[in-house]
Amino acid sequence: MRALLVVNPRATTTTERSRDVLVRALSSAVELSVRYTERRGHATKLARDAAESGVDVVVTLGGDGTVNEAVNGLLTAPAALVDLRGPIADRLPALAVVPGGSTNVFARALGMPRDWAEGTSVILDGLRDGRHRVIGLGRADDRYFTFTAGLGWDAATIRRVEQARLRGRTSTPALYMRSTASQFLLGTDRKNPPLTLERPGETPDTELSTVIVQNTAPWTYVGDRPVHLNPDASFDSGLDVVALRRLTIAGSARTVTQLAWRARDPRGKQVLRLHDITEFTVVAARPQAFQLDGDYLGERQKVHFVSVPSALRVIC
């Protein structure tokens, strides 16, 4: 069995020594090649090239951004684009994820341990036993995502966090909480919600301030605590949506309190929730911050979302 290990050398929870241990462990089970990412987007090319060369498994060591790039490389390989019957997953290498980032939402949603060494052990057992899971993905325009996408407040918060990290700040739950509050108070036009959600055959949902799309639950983690906006979201169903209408101080405080105390299931007249949706489009009256799998991707005014079932085999 041939495998490629894609390593983000800036992964926050591993060291050079731990990476060497990982390479030796994987080499005991597969014929392993190792490549290090050199820039943003590089993991996409590495994974696509691996799929074209007939590699059986792509293993990532990094955070959710590295996973997202690798997934997009696999799903844009020639084998994925051929119009054949049957699941896309059957035509592509499997993916294995060693958690190496600060949050690792995708790996944890799969039930992987947070510790990279324990995660490696799970992957080795899966490779030896031939154990894998087939999951669905989401697609936003031409970009795939594994667990979440968003337009508006949450994406603008991620932009603030990334700007803080460029200034040398460490990614922590406290940084995200401060950035969320700052974006709400200082950076959001709460009086004129700009977003509209359109579904085929349905009346459009208008005047939305932020739209969060989930492909699985939880939406994210605050340290060890999972946050469930749509607890029924699943890799085995369509996409789920939570949208907030007007971001009033009272209504937003109530939603944040629900999440802080219960970490799940916000409700109220300012909350729109949709479950198991196949396809929809979000249109903005003015450019809005946009994120996929926790990476800020600039501003958009229109994004088309599609659920892609049986898209990927994952070692777990």
Side-chain angles (χ1 to χ4, degrees):
M1 179 182 294
R2 296 171 57 209
L4 171 70
L5 172 62
V6 177
V7 178
N8 180 351
R10 290 178 291 278
T12 57
T13 60
T14 60
T15 63
E16 184 175 354
R17 180 179 178 277
S18 62
R19 291 193 290 267
D20 290 341
V21 172
L22 170 63
V23 169
R24 289 197 296 271
L26 291 174
S27 296
S28 69
V30 295
E31 179 184 337
L32 185 69
S33 299
V34 183
R35 294 294 303 273
Y36 287 78
T37 59
E38 301 171 358
R39 58 191 177 277
R40 190 165 187 170
H42 192 198
T44 297
K45 182 180 186 308
L46 294 176
R48 185 186 300 119
D49 290 347
E52 291 183 40
S53 69
V55 162
D56 301 294
V57 181
V58 171
V59 185
T60 63
L61 173 60
D64 290 309
T66 304
V67 173
N68 180 277
E69 289 186 9
V71 166
N72 276 275
L74 294 175
L75 270 292
T76 54
L81 302 177
V82 175
D83 187 13
L84 297 174
R85 292 185 179 180
I88 300 172
D90 292 344
R91 307 195 293 271
L92 297 175
L95 177 72
V97 178
V98 180
S102 58
T103 310
N104 305 300
V105 178
F106 178 64
R108 294 164 75 179
L110 290 170
M112 296 291 290
R114 290 189 67 182
D115 179 73
W116 70 267
E118 294 180 12
T120 301
S121 178
V122 171
I123 290 170
L124 289 172
D125 289 342
L127 291 171
R128 289 166 180 152
D129 298 341
R131 186 175 63 244
H132 67 268
R133 176 183 177 184
V134 177
I135 66 170
L137 298 172
R139 191 176 73 233
D141 291 336
D142 59 352
R143 180 84 177 252
Y144 292 87
F145 60 97
T146 63
F147 66 94
T148 191
L151 283 143
W153 184 17
D154 84 309
T157 296
I158 289 171
R159 177 176 58 197
R160 281 182 177 265
V161 170
E162 291 192 0
Q163 291 170 345
R165 294 181 67 179
L166 289 174
R167 296 193 299 268
R169 302 292 297 277
T170 301
S171 179
T172 63
L175 176 60
Y176 273 91
M177 295 299 289
R178 288 194 299 271
S179 299
T180 298
S182 296
Q183 180 60 36
F184 176 78
L185 294 172
L186 303 175
T188 301
D189 182 359
R190 299 192 298 274
K191 295 182 179 179
N192 300 291
L195 300 173
T196 296
L197 190 149
E198 301 173 347
R199 289 179 287 162
E202 301 286 344
T203 302
D205 293 289
T206 61
E207 295 189 322
L208 306 175
S209 292
T210 190
V211 174
I212 298 171
V213 184
Q214 287 182 244
N215 186 49
T216 189
W219 167 51
T220 190
Y221 288 83
V222 179
D224 291 330
R225 188 179 181 84
V227 179
H228 291 283
L229 295 182
N230 270 314
D232 294 328
S234 169
F235 290 125
D236 301 318
S237 63
L239 300 174
D240 280 29
V241 174
V242 165
L244 301 181
R245 302 184 191 277
R246 293 187 179 276
L247 292 177
T248 63
I249 292 178
S252 300
R254 183 168 53 252
T255 299
V256 171
T257 300
Q258 289 175 341
L259 292 175
W261 288 100
R262 297 191 298 161
R264 64 184 296 119
D265 209 7
R267 296 182 181 276
K269 64 181 182 180
Q270 298 298 328
V271 179
L272 169 69
R273 302 181 63 189
L274 302 170
H275 173 60
D276 193 14
I277 305 300
T278 301
E279 179 181 6
F280 60 94
T281 301
V282 179
V283 181
R286 53 189 180 274
Q288 294 294 293
F290 174 57
Q291 65 89 8
L292 284 184
D293 286 344
D295 271 358
Y296 175 66
L297 297 181
E299 294 187 335
R300 302 286 180 90
Q301 281 195 260
K302 184 177 182 179
V303 182
H304 182 63
F305 292 93
V306 177
S307 173
V308 185
S310 302
L312 190 66
R313 288 182 298 126
V314 182
I315 306 297
C316 59

